[in-house]
Amino acid sequence: MSKSHEILTSLKAWRRYGQECLEDSGIEDAAQDAWLLMEYVCNINKSFYYLHMNDDMDEEDALQYQELIHKRASHIPVQHLIGEAWFYGQPYLVNEHVLIPRQDTEVLIEEALSRLIPGMRILDLCTGSGCILLTLIRHASITGVGSDISPEALKVAKQNEKRQRLKGCTWVESNLFEQIGGTFDMITSNPPYIPTEVITGLMEEVRDHEPILALDGHEDGLYFYRKIVDEARQHLKPQGWLCMEIGHDQGEDLTNLLTQSGYSDVEIKKDLAGLSRVAVAKWVP
């Protein structure tokens, strides 16, 4: 039965309505997003849903659900609608000022964790929501600095720190290293790496709703890597590590850049899809 003819009263009917609306609008994960919005609006889990899916949805919930479905159908990211995204098993507050955490970045987390020792101090450049630094602090008993050029992004990062009840973070508004002092055992970063001309072809959710500052890697996508690789040498302790997320086609470029800049132990790590995802290197003066 189509959404235009079905009487919308039950949770099941509303969920089907939501999924069909999103499918009609070309949303890739229509079923998942329809559920996530219902879970958010009704404050229920799937166990409750399957036991009560034939019950009527509360009228106010139904109005809110319909409104959010229509917003999602206009390609506003579902994470912005519910104000939250999950990363490495924890929920992070997100909005239009920060990049939505993605599973790909968990490769960076794994590589950093394998090299961190309790008590180390790290720097996370282009920190955004703070998800990289906060995850590493949670799992590695370290301290660190998160920096970002955007004061709005840093507000989100500070909220996430408070929400997760973590300590050991310092937040600095800085254009890369400009306001950064001292040296670190590790520098991590997920910098903007998409070539400018490619941005117009991205999915609407990314192109129109995520911060351009977090996406645009200038002409060839390597602008920020060149600056980070060059300047990190003055901010890494001897034997310190540089760990950066990279684009799937940037492995060779980063290998050459790091090697030519005097780093050792250069490695390109792949994600679950077999694509280049993280560049790792050691600074040995």
Side-chain angles (χ1 to χ4, degrees), residues 87-88 103-117 120 122 132 135-136 139-140 142 185-189 240-246 265-272 275-281:
F87 180 76
Y88 216 76
Q103 187 175 6
D104 289 340
T105 306
E106 296 189 359
V107 180
L108 173 58
I109 296 296
E110 295 290 346
E111 293 303 320
L113 287 176
S114 71
R115 293 166 173 81
L116 288 172
I117 298 171
M120 282 184 168
I122 74 170
I132 293 173
T135 299
L136 295 178
H139 291 277
I142 57 163
D185 298 288
M186 178 181 287
I187 296 174
T188 59
S189 186
W241 291 96
L242 178 59
C243 302
M244 301 177 292
E245 181 168 333
I246 65 174
D265 296 17
V266 177
E267 294 184 77
I268 302 299
K269 299 295 185 176
K270 298 185 183 296
D271 58 22
L272 293 176
L275 301 174
S276 297
R277 186 56 57 194
V278 172
V280 184

mmCIF file of all heavy atoms in Angstrom, residues 87-88 103-117 120 122 132 135-136 139-140 142 185-189 240-246 265-272 275-281:
data_model
loop_
_atom_site.group_PDB
_atom_site.id
_atom_site.type_symbol
_atom_site.label_atom_id
_atom_site.label_comp_id
_atom_site.label_asym_id
_atom_site.label_seq_id
_atom_site.Cartn_x
_atom_site.Cartn_y
_atom_site.Cartn_z
ATOM 1 N N PHE A 87 30.594 7.731 16.747
ATOM 2 C CA PHE A 87 31.968 7.513 16.281
ATOM 3 C C PHE A 87 32.710 6.701 17.321
ATOM 4 O O PHE A 87 32.768 7.070 18.494
ATOM 5 C CB PHE A 87 32.668 8.853 16.056
ATOM 6 C CG PHE A 87 34.091 8.728 15.578
ATOM 7 C CD1 PHE A 87 34.360 8.381 14.264
ATOM 8 C CD2 PHE A 87 35.157 8.951 16.448
ATOM 9 C CE1 PHE A 87 35.672 8.253 13.815
ATOM 10 C CE2 PHE A 87 36.470 8.823 16.008
ATOM 11 C CZ PHE A 87 36.734 8.479 14.688
ATOM 12 N N TYR A 88 33.255 5.578 16.899
ATOM 13 C CA TYR A 88 34.038 4.700 17.769
ATOM 14 C C TYR A 88 33.285 4.369 19.061
ATOM 15 O O TYR A 88 33.829 4.369 20.159
ATOM 16 C CB TYR A 88 35.395 5.332 18.085
ATOM 17 C CG TYR A 88 36.527 4.312 18.185
ATOM 18 C CD1 TYR A 88 37.083 3.742 17.048
ATOM 19 C CD2 TYR A 88 37.024 3.924 19.423
ATOM 20 C CE1 TYR A 88 38.115 2.816 17.134
ATOM 21 C CE2 TYR A 88 38.043 2.983 19.525
ATOM 22 C CZ TYR A 88 38.586 2.434 18.380
ATOM 23 O OH TYR A 88 39.595 1.505 18.469
ATOM 24 N N GLN A 103 32.990 6.639 9.666
ATOM 25 C CA GLN A 103 33.647 5.389 10.039
ATOM 26 C C GLN A 103 35.055 5.301 9.463
ATOM 27 O O GLN A 103 35.947 4.695 10.076
ATOM 28 C CB GLN A 103 32.807 4.196 9.584
ATOM 29 C CG GLN A 103 33.332 2.851 10.085
ATOM 30 C CD GLN A 103 32.415 1.706 9.713
ATOM 31 O OE1 GLN A 103 31.432 1.876 8.992
ATOM 32 N NE2 GLN A 103 32.734 0.529 10.212
ATOM 33 N N ASP A 104 35.292 5.883 8.288
ATOM 34 C CA ASP A 104 36.623 5.845 7.682
ATOM 35 C C ASP A 104 37.699 6.363 8.640
ATOM 36 O O ASP A 104 38.836 5.878 8.647
ATOM 37 C CB ASP A 104 36.649 6.690 6.401
ATOM 38 C CG ASP A 104 35.858 6.063 5.269
ATOM 39 O OD1 ASP A 104 35.607 4.844 5.328
ATOM 40 O OD2 ASP A 104 35.494 6.790 4.334
ATOM 41 N N THR A 105 37.333 7.366 9.432
ATOM 42 C CA THR A 105 38.305 7.997 10.326
ATOM 43 C C THR A 105 38.712 7.065 11.462
ATOM 44 O O THR A 105 39.729 7.296 12.127
ATOM 45 C CB THR A 105 37.732 9.322 10.869
ATOM 46 O OG1 THR A 105 37.331 10.142 9.756
ATOM 47 C CG2 THR A 105 38.748 10.094 11.691
ATOM 48 N N GLU A 106 37.944 5.993 11.689
ATOM 49 C CA GLU A 106 38.316 5.047 12.731
ATOM 50 C C GLU A 106 39.622 4.319 12.387
ATOM 51 O O GLU A 106 40.298 3.802 13.273
ATOM 52 C CB GLU A 106 37.173 4.063 12.985
ATOM 53 C CG GLU A 106 35.931 4.768 13.538
ATOM 54 C CD GLU A 106 34.835 3.824 14.009
ATOM 55 O OE1 GLU A 106 35.018 2.594 13.885
ATOM 56 O OE2 GLU A 106 33.813 4.322 14.510
ATOM 57 N N VAL A 107 39.996 4.292 11.110
ATOM 58 C CA VAL A 107 41.291 3.737 10.720
ATOM 59 C C VAL A 107 42.404 4.585 11.338
ATOM 60 O O VAL A 107 43.413 4.057 11.846
ATOM 61 C CB VAL A 107 41.445 3.685 9.188
ATOM 62 C CG1 VAL A 107 42.804 3.112 8.793
ATOM 63 C CG2 VAL A 107 40.318 2.868 8.566
ATOM 64 N N LEU A 108 42.238 5.903 11.317
ATOM 65 C CA LEU A 108 43.208 6.806 11.935
ATOM 66 C C LEU A 108 43.306 6.543 13.442
ATOM 67 O O LEU A 108 44.400 6.524 14.015
ATOM 68 C CB LEU A 108 42.804 8.260 11.665
ATOM 69 C CG LEU A 108 43.610 9.358 12.364
ATOM 70 C CD1 LEU A 108 45.079 9.275 12.007
ATOM 71 C CD2 LEU A 108 43.056 10.725 12.017
ATOM 72 N N ILE A 109 42.158 6.329 14.078
ATOM 73 C CA ILE A 109 42.139 6.038 15.511
ATOM 74 C C ILE A 109 42.949 4.776 15.814
ATOM 75 O O ILE A 109 43.782 4.747 16.724
ATOM 76 C CB ILE A 109 40.695 5.870 16.014
ATOM 77 C CG1 ILE A 109 39.907 7.182 15.864
ATOM 78 C CG2 ILE A 109 40.681 5.396 17.466
ATOM 79 C CD1 ILE A 109 40.421 8.325 16.690
ATOM 80 N N GLU A 110 42.716 3.718 15.047
ATOM 81 C CA GLU A 110 43.414 2.453 15.285
ATOM 82 C C GLU A 110 44.927 2.605 15.116
ATOM 83 O O GLU A 110 45.709 2.064 15.915
ATOM 84 C CB GLU A 110 42.881 1.377 14.333
ATOM 85 C CG GLU A 110 41.423 1.000 14.562
ATOM 86 C CD GLU A 110 41.203 0.244 15.856
ATOM 87 O OE1 GLU A 110 42.197 -0.227 16.454
ATOM 88 O OE2 GLU A 110 40.039 0.122 16.281
ATOM 89 N N GLU A 111 45.332 3.329 14.086
ATOM 90 C CA GLU A 111 46.768 3.517 13.855
ATOM 91 C C GLU A 111 47.401 4.355 14.965
ATOM 92 O O GLU A 111 48.524 4.075 15.410
ATOM 93 C CB GLU A 111 47.008 4.171 12.493
ATOM 94 C CG GLU A 111 46.636 3.287 11.318
ATOM 95 C CD GLU A 111 47.363 1.957 11.324
ATOM 96 O OE1 GLU A 111 48.575 1.943 11.651
ATOM 97 O OE2 GLU A 111 46.736 0.926 11.017
ATOM 98 N N ALA A 112 46.694 5.386 15.424
ATOM 99 C CA ALA A 112 47.222 6.211 16.511
ATOM 100 C C ALA A 112 47.307 5.412 17.809
ATOM 101 O O ALA A 112 48.330 5.447 18.510
ATOM 102 C CB ALA A 112 46.342 7.447 16.696
ATOM 103 N N LEU A 113 46.260 4.667 18.123
ATOM 104 C CA LEU A 113 46.247 3.893 19.369
ATOM 105 C C LEU A 113 47.372 2.867 19.411
ATOM 106 O O LEU A 113 47.926 2.586 20.482
ATOM 107 C CB LEU A 113 44.896 3.199 19.542
ATOM 108 C CG LEU A 113 43.705 4.089 19.909
ATOM 109 C CD1 LEU A 113 42.417 3.270 19.939
ATOM 110 C CD2 LEU A 113 43.925 4.765 21.259
ATOM 111 N N SER A 114 47.718 2.302 18.282
ATOM 112 C CA SER A 114 48.762 1.283 18.260
ATOM 113 C C SER A 114 50.142 1.862 18.560
ATOM 114 O O SER A 114 51.086 1.114 18.840
ATOM 115 C CB SER A 114 48.785 0.579 16.897
ATOM 116 O OG SER A 114 49.285 1.432 15.881
ATOM 117 N N ARG A 115 50.264 3.190 18.525
ATOM 118 C CA ARG A 115 51.550 3.845 18.739
ATOM 119 C C ARG A 115 51.593 4.691 20.012
ATOM 120 O O ARG A 115 52.666 5.174 20.390
ATOM 121 C CB ARG A 115 51.884 4.720 17.527
ATOM 122 C CG ARG A 115 52.145 3.919 16.263
ATOM 123 C CD ARG A 115 52.123 4.796 15.018
ATOM 124 N NE ARG A 115 52.534 4.035 13.832
ATOM 125 C CZ ARG A 115 51.728 3.227 13.143
ATOM 126 N NH1 ARG A 115 50.455 3.102 13.503
ATOM 127 N NH2 ARG A 115 52.165 2.568 12.085
ATOM 128 N N LEU A 116 50.469 4.893 20.649
ATOM 129 C CA LEU A 116 50.407 5.747 21.838
ATOM 130 C C LEU A 116 50.745 4.967 23.102
ATOM 131 O O LEU A 116 50.413 3.782 23.229
ATOM 132 C CB LEU A 116 49.023 6.370 21.974
ATOM 133 C CG LEU A 116 48.693 7.476 20.962
ATOM 134 C CD1 LEU A 116 47.227 7.872 21.062
ATOM 135 C CD2 LEU A 116 49.597 8.701 21.198
ATOM 136 N N ILE A 117 51.379 5.663 24.026
ATOM 137 C CA ILE A 117 51.703 5.120 25.339
ATOM 138 C C ILE A 117 51.079 6.043 26.380
ATOM 139 O O ILE A 117 51.106 7.267 26.215
ATOM 140 C CB ILE A 117 53.228 5.058 25.532
ATOM 141 C CG1 ILE A 117 53.859 4.129 24.486
ATOM 142 C CG2 ILE A 117 53.598 4.596 26.942
ATOM 143 C CD1 ILE A 117 55.370 4.168 24.466
ATOM 144 N N MET A 120 51.497 10.169 27.133
ATOM 145 C CA MET A 120 51.903 10.981 25.987
ATOM 146 C C MET A 120 50.991 12.201 25.829
ATOM 147 O O MET A 120 49.872 12.247 26.343
ATOM 148 C CB MET A 120 51.870 10.153 24.700
ATOM 149 C CG MET A 120 53.048 9.228 24.524
ATOM 150 S SD MET A 120 52.988 8.375 22.898
ATOM 151 C CE MET A 120 54.630 7.662 22.838
ATOM 152 N N ILE A 122 49.446 14.792 22.790
ATOM 153 C CA ILE A 122 49.257 14.849 21.339
ATOM 154 C C ILE A 122 48.605 16.157 20.925
ATOM 155 O O ILE A 122 48.037 16.891 21.744
ATOM 156 C CB ILE A 122 48.425 13.653 20.828
ATOM 157 C CG1 ILE A 122 46.944 13.829 21.197
ATOM 158 C CG2 ILE A 122 48.961 12.336 21.363
ATOM 159 C CD1 ILE A 122 46.040 12.821 20.519
ATOM 160 N N ILE A 132 38.370 12.887 17.213
ATOM 161 C CA ILE A 132 39.644 12.159 17.192
ATOM 162 C C ILE A 132 40.360 12.300 18.533
ATOM 163 O O ILE A 132 40.721 11.307 19.175
ATOM 164 C CB ILE A 132 40.535 12.653 16.035
ATOM 165 C CG1 ILE A 132 39.913 12.284 14.682
ATOM 166 C CG2 ILE A 132 41.941 12.070 16.154
ATOM 167 C CD1 ILE A 132 40.632 12.875 13.486
ATOM 168 N N THR A 135 38.448 10.626 21.468
ATOM 169 C CA THR A 135 38.511 9.165 21.401
ATOM 170 C C THR A 135 39.872 8.654 21.866
ATOM 171 O O THR A 135 39.957 7.671 22.619
ATOM 172 C CB THR A 135 38.240 8.682 19.962
ATOM 173 O OG1 THR A 135 36.927 9.102 19.566
ATOM 174 C CG2 THR A 135 38.312 7.165 19.872
ATOM 175 N N LEU A 136 40.939 9.330 21.454
ATOM 176 C CA LEU A 136 42.271 8.894 21.850
ATOM 177 C C LEU A 136 42.500 9.105 23.341
ATOM 178 O O LEU A 136 43.120 8.268 24.009
ATOM 179 C CB LEU A 136 43.327 9.628 21.026
ATOM 180 C CG LEU A 136 43.316 9.311 19.524
ATOM 181 C CD1 LEU A 136 44.360 10.134 18.787
ATOM 182 C CD2 LEU A 136 43.528 7.825 19.271
ATOM 183 N N HIS A 139 40.740 6.255 25.236
ATOM 184 C CA HIS A 139 41.254 4.887 25.101
ATOM 185 C C HIS A 139 42.752 4.742 25.377
ATOM 186 O O HIS A 139 43.233 3.609 25.504
ATOM 187 C CB HIS A 139 40.946 4.352 23.703
ATOM 188 C CG HIS A 139 39.495 4.102 23.463
ATOM 189 N ND1 HIS A 139 38.872 2.940 23.855
ATOM 190 C CD2 HIS A 139 38.538 4.876 22.881
ATOM 191 C CE1 HIS A 139 37.578 3.001 23.522
ATOM 192 N NE2 HIS A 139 37.363 4.157 22.932
ATOM 193 N N ALA A 140 43.489 5.848 25.467
ATOM 194 C CA ALA A 140 44.942 5.718 25.578
ATOM 195 C C ALA A 140 45.539 6.404 26.804
ATOM 196 O O ALA A 140 46.764 6.422 26.950
ATOM 197 C CB ALA A 140 45.605 6.259 24.308
ATOM 198 N N ILE A 142 45.993 9.568 27.681
ATOM 199 C CA ILE A 142 46.915 10.613 27.259
ATOM 200 C C ILE A 142 46.265 11.968 27.485
ATOM 201 O O ILE A 142 45.111 12.058 27.910
ATOM 202 C CB ILE A 142 47.274 10.464 25.762
ATOM 203 C CG1 ILE A 142 45.975 10.487 24.936
ATOM 204 C CG2 ILE A 142 48.056 9.187 25.506
ATOM 205 C CD1 ILE A 142 46.183 10.750 23.478
ATOM 206 N N ASP A 185 54.175 14.236 21.303
ATOM 207 C CA ASP A 185 54.570 12.865 20.972
ATOM 208 C C ASP A 185 53.896 12.388 19.688
ATOM 209 O O ASP A 185 54.386 11.472 19.033
ATOM 210 C CB ASP A 185 54.187 11.917 22.113
ATOM 211 C CG ASP A 185 54.902 12.260 23.407
ATOM 212 O OD1 ASP A 185 56.118 12.012 23.488
ATOM 213 O OD2 ASP A 185 54.245 12.790 24.324
ATOM 214 N N MET A 186 52.762 12.994 19.363
ATOM 215 C CA MET A 186 52.039 12.630 18.143
ATOM 216 C C MET A 186 51.209 13.817 17.679
ATOM 217 O O MET A 186 50.675 14.570 18.500
ATOM 218 C CB MET A 186 51.112 11.426 18.378
ATOM 219 C CG MET A 186 50.281 11.019 17.155
ATOM 220 S SD MET A 186 49.193 9.602 17.492
ATOM 221 C CE MET A 186 50.390 8.265 17.566
ATOM 222 N N ILE A 187 51.128 13.971 16.373
ATOM 223 C CA ILE A 187 50.213 14.946 15.769
ATOM 224 C C ILE A 187 49.263 14.180 14.868
ATOM 225 O O ILE A 187 49.698 13.408 14.007
ATOM 226 C CB ILE A 187 50.969 16.017 14.964
ATOM 227 C CG1 ILE A 187 51.856 16.852 15.900
ATOM 228 C CG2 ILE A 187 49.990 16.921 14.212
ATOM 229 C CD1 ILE A 187 52.756 17.841 15.171
ATOM 230 N N THR A 188 47.974 14.376 15.089
ATOM 231 C CA THR A 188 46.958 13.759 14.243
ATOM 232 C C THR A 188 46.209 14.852 13.493
ATOM 233 O O THR A 188 46.149 15.996 13.933
ATOM 234 C CB THR A 188 45.955 12.931 15.068
ATOM 235 O OG1 THR A 188 45.310 13.797 16.029
ATOM 236 C CG2 THR A 188 46.639 11.797 15.797
ATOM 237 N N SER A 189 45.616 14.481 12.375
ATOM 238 C CA SER A 189 44.814 15.453 11.639
ATOM 239 C C SER A 189 43.955 14.769 10.581
ATOM 240 O O SER A 189 44.389 13.809 9.946
ATOM 241 C CB SER A 189 45.704 16.498 10.950
ATOM 242 O OG SER A 189 44.910 17.519 10.361
ATOM 243 N N GLY A 240 58.654 11.182 17.345
ATOM 244 C CA GLY A 240 57.215 11.464 17.380
ATOM 245 C C GLY A 240 56.536 11.063 16.077
ATOM 246 O O GLY A 240 57.161 11.009 15.007
ATOM 247 N N TRP A 241 55.242 10.806 16.167
ATOM 248 C CA TRP A 241 54.472 10.303 15.024
ATOM 249 C C TRP A 241 53.558 11.369 14.433
ATOM 250 O O TRP A 241 52.964 12.162 15.162
ATOM 251 C CB TRP A 241 53.615 9.113 15.437
ATOM 252 C CG TRP A 241 54.391 7.890 15.760
ATOM 253 C CD1 TRP A 241 54.783 7.459 16.991
ATOM 254 C CD2 TRP A 241 54.893 6.927 14.814
ATOM 255 N NE1 TRP A 241 55.496 6.282 16.889
ATOM 256 C CE2 TRP A 241 55.578 5.939 15.560
ATOM 257 C CE3 TRP A 241 54.831 6.813 13.429
ATOM 258 C CZ2 TRP A 241 56.188 4.842 14.954
ATOM 259 C CZ3 TRP A 241 55.442 5.723 12.829
ATOM 260 C CH2 TRP A 241 56.109 4.758 13.582
ATOM 261 N N LEU A 242 53.438 11.343 13.116
ATOM 262 C CA LEU A 242 52.458 12.149 12.388
ATOM 263 C C LEU A 242 51.457 11.197 11.743
ATOM 264 O O LEU A 242 51.855 10.324 10.961
ATOM 265 C CB LEU A 242 53.156 12.993 11.317
ATOM 266 C CG LEU A 242 52.265 13.874 10.430
ATOM 267 C CD1 LEU A 242 51.467 14.872 11.270
ATOM 268 C CD2 LEU A 242 53.114 14.602 9.387
ATOM 269 N N CYS A 243 50.177 11.333 12.087
ATOM 270 C CA CYS A 243 49.120 10.441 11.571
ATOM 271 C C CYS A 243 48.024 11.298 10.953
ATOM 272 O O CYS A 243 47.384 12.097 11.651
ATOM 273 C CB CYS A 243 48.530 9.587 12.693
ATOM 274 S SG CYS A 243 49.721 8.549 13.563
ATOM 275 N N MET A 244 47.766 11.105 9.667
ATOM 276 C CA MET A 244 46.796 11.938 8.965
ATOM 277 C C MET A 244 45.841 11.095 8.127
ATOM 278 O O MET A 244 46.281 10.160 7.436
ATOM 279 C CB MET A 244 47.514 12.930 8.044
ATOM 280 C CG MET A 244 48.483 13.861 8.739
ATOM 281 S SD MET A 244 49.350 14.947 7.574
ATOM 282 C CE MET A 244 50.381 13.729 6.706
ATOM 283 N N GLU A 245 44.568 11.445 8.157
ATOM 284 C CA GLU A 245 43.638 10.842 7.210
ATOM 285 C C GLU A 245 43.889 11.453 5.838
ATOM 286 O O GLU A 245 44.193 12.653 5.722
ATOM 287 C CB GLU A 245 42.187 11.084 7.632
ATOM 288 C CG GLU A 245 41.192 10.454 6.669
ATOM 289 C CD GLU A 245 39.771 10.408 7.194
ATOM 290 O OE1 GLU A 245 39.580 10.365 8.425
ATOM 291 O OE2 GLU A 245 38.855 10.413 6.362
ATOM 292 N N ILE A 246 43.743 10.625 4.796
ATOM 293 C CA ILE A 246 44.006 11.094 3.432
ATOM 294 C C ILE A 246 42.896 10.619 2.500
ATOM 295 O O ILE A 246 42.115 9.725 2.832
ATOM 296 C CB ILE A 246 45.365 10.600 2.909
ATOM 297 C CG1 ILE A 246 45.370 9.068 2.782
ATOM 298 C CG2 ILE A 246 46.485 11.081 3.816
ATOM 299 C CD1 ILE A 246 46.631 8.495 2.144
ATOM 300 N N ASP A 265 59.883 5.625 8.431
ATOM 301 C CA ASP A 265 58.808 4.667 8.726
ATOM 302 C C ASP A 265 57.475 5.095 8.096
ATOM 303 O O ASP A 265 56.416 4.985 8.710
ATOM 304 C CB ASP A 265 58.621 4.510 10.237
ATOM 305 C CG ASP A 265 59.846 3.921 10.920
ATOM 306 O OD1 ASP A 265 60.924 3.930 10.311
ATOM 307 O OD2 ASP A 265 59.727 3.457 12.061
ATOM 308 N N VAL A 266 57.532 5.593 6.873
ATOM 309 C CA VAL A 266 56.325 6.075 6.196
ATOM 310 C C VAL A 266 55.466 4.890 5.759
ATOM 311 O O VAL A 266 55.954 3.965 5.108
ATOM 312 C CB VAL A 266 56.694 6.942 4.977
ATOM 313 C CG1 VAL A 266 55.437 7.375 4.230
ATOM 314 C CG2 VAL A 266 57.519 8.148 5.416
ATOM 315 N N GLU A 267 54.193 4.934 6.118
ATOM 316 C CA GLU A 267 53.254 3.882 5.740
ATOM 317 C C GLU A 267 51.933 4.489 5.309
ATOM 318 O O GLU A 267 51.503 5.510 5.862
ATOM 319 C CB GLU A 267 52.997 2.920 6.904
ATOM 320 C CG GLU A 267 54.174 2.094 7.349
ATOM 321 C CD GLU A 267 53.790 1.117 8.444
ATOM 322 O OE1 GLU A 267 53.162 0.082 8.124
ATOM 323 O OE2 GLU A 267 54.089 1.395 9.617
ATOM 324 N N ILE A 268 51.292 3.854 4.348
ATOM 325 C CA ILE A 268 49.928 4.206 3.950
ATOM 326 C C ILE A 268 49.026 3.052 4.363
ATOM 327 O O ILE A 268 49.210 1.919 3.920
ATOM 328 C CB ILE A 268 49.822 4.453 2.431
ATOM 329 C CG1 ILE A 268 50.783 5.567 2.001
ATOM 330 C CG2 ILE A 268 48.377 4.801 2.068
ATOM 331 C CD1 ILE A 268 50.535 6.913 2.633
ATOM 332 N N LYS A 269 48.054 3.329 5.220
ATOM 333 C CA LYS A 269 47.153 2.304 5.731
ATOM 334 C C LYS A 269 45.822 2.369 4.974
ATOM 335 O O LYS A 269 45.324 3.449 4.662
ATOM 336 C CB LYS A 269 46.912 2.509 7.225
ATOM 337 C CG LYS A 269 48.182 2.411 8.064
ATOM 338 C CD LYS A 269 48.764 1.011 8.019
ATOM 339 C CE LYS A 269 49.971 0.876 8.943
ATOM 340 N NZ LYS A 269 50.482 -0.498 8.991
ATOM 341 N N LYS A 270 45.266 1.203 4.724
ATOM 342 C CA LYS A 270 44.020 1.120 3.952
ATOM 343 C C LYS A 270 42.817 0.908 4.868
ATOM 344 O O LYS A 270 42.945 0.400 5.987
ATOM 345 C CB LYS A 270 44.121 -0.014 2.928
ATOM 346 C CG LYS A 270 45.228 0.204 1.898
ATOM 347 C CD LYS A 270 45.229 -0.869 0.838
ATOM 348 C CE LYS A 270 46.379 -0.679 -0.146
ATOM 349 N NZ LYS A 270 46.258 0.583 -0.904
ATOM 350 N N ASP A 271 41.642 1.284 4.360
ATOM 351 C CA ASP A 271 40.404 1.070 5.106
ATOM 352 C C ASP A 271 39.825 -0.296 4.761
ATOM 353 O O ASP A 271 40.440 -1.095 4.033
ATOM 354 C CB ASP A 271 39.397 2.195 4.843
ATOM 355 C CG ASP A 271 39.042 2.342 3.363
ATOM 356 O OD1 ASP A 271 39.212 1.353 2.600
ATOM 357 O OD2 ASP A 271 38.565 3.420 2.967
ATOM 358 N N LEU A 272 38.633 -0.590 5.272
ATOM 359 C CA LEU A 272 38.031 -1.904 5.058
ATOM 360 C C LEU A 272 37.705 -2.169 3.591
ATOM 361 O O LEU A 272 37.580 -3.323 3.174
ATOM 362 C CB LEU A 272 36.767 -2.038 5.909
ATOM 363 C CG LEU A 272 36.992 -2.073 7.431
ATOM 364 C CD1 LEU A 272 35.655 -2.097 8.162
ATOM 365 C CD2 LEU A 272 37.847 -3.267 7.823
ATOM 366 N N LEU A 275 40.976 0.856 0.368
ATOM 367 C CA LEU A 275 41.387 2.144 -0.181
ATOM 368 C C LEU A 275 42.357 2.837 0.770
ATOM 369 O O LEU A 275 42.241 2.717 1.995
ATOM 370 C CB LEU A 275 40.159 3.039 -0.402
ATOM 371 C CG LEU A 275 39.084 2.490 -1.338
ATOM 372 C CD1 LEU A 275 37.870 3.405 -1.336
ATOM 373 C CD2 LEU A 275 39.630 2.320 -2.751
ATOM 374 N N SER A 276 43.295 3.580 0.220
ATOM 375 C CA SER A 276 44.218 4.346 1.047
ATOM 376 C C SER A 276 43.424 5.294 1.939
ATOM 377 O O SER A 276 42.531 6.005 1.460
ATOM 378 C CB SER A 276 45.189 5.142 0.169
ATOM 379 O OG SER A 276 45.997 4.274 -0.597
ATOM 380 N N ARG A 277 43.764 5.318 3.247
ATOM 381 C CA ARG A 277 42.952 6.129 4.171
ATOM 382 C C ARG A 277 43.782 6.914 5.168
ATOM 383 O O ARG A 277 43.372 7.974 5.619
ATOM 384 C CB ARG A 277 41.973 5.203 4.920
ATOM 385 C CG ARG A 277 40.982 5.915 5.787
ATOM 386 C CD ARG A 277 40.174 6.931 4.993
ATOM 387 N NE ARG A 277 39.473 6.322 3.873
ATOM 388 C CZ ARG A 277 38.919 7.006 2.873
ATOM 389 N NH1 ARG A 277 39.024 8.323 2.858
ATOM 390 N NH2 ARG A 277 38.305 6.393 1.882
ATOM 391 N N VAL A 278 44.964 6.408 5.549
ATOM 392 C CA VAL A 278 45.767 7.079 6.573
ATOM 393 C C VAL A 278 47.239 7.043 6.178
ATOM 394 O O VAL A 278 47.741 6.002 5.724
ATOM 395 C CB VAL A 278 45.580 6.403 7.951
ATOM 396 C CG1 VAL A 278 46.552 6.966 8.978
ATOM 397 C CG2 VAL A 278 44.140 6.563 8.447
ATOM 398 N N ALA A 279 47.909 8.173 6.357
ATOM 399 C CA ALA A 279 49.349 8.245 6.187
ATOM 400 C C ALA A 279 49.995 8.381 7.564
ATOM 401 O O ALA A 279 49.585 9.217 8.368
ATOM 402 C CB ALA A 279 49.737 9.439 5.311
ATOM 403 N N VAL A 280 50.996 7.530 7.836
ATOM 404 C CA VAL A 280 51.675 7.526 9.122
ATOM 405 C C VAL A 280 53.169 7.660 8.877
ATOM 406 O O VAL A 280 53.718 7.022 7.966
ATOM 407 C CB VAL A 280 51.394 6.210 9.906
ATOM 408 C CG1 VAL A 280 52.036 6.272 11.290
ATOM 409 C CG2 VAL A 280 49.907 5.954 10.011
ATOM 410 N N ALA A 281 53.840 8.466 9.698
ATOM 411 C CA ALA A 281 55.284 8.632 9.556
ATOM 412 C C ALA A 281 55.897 9.044 10.881
ATOM 413 O O ALA A 281 55.224 9.625 11.741
ATOM 414 C CB ALA A 281 55.605 9.657 8.478
#
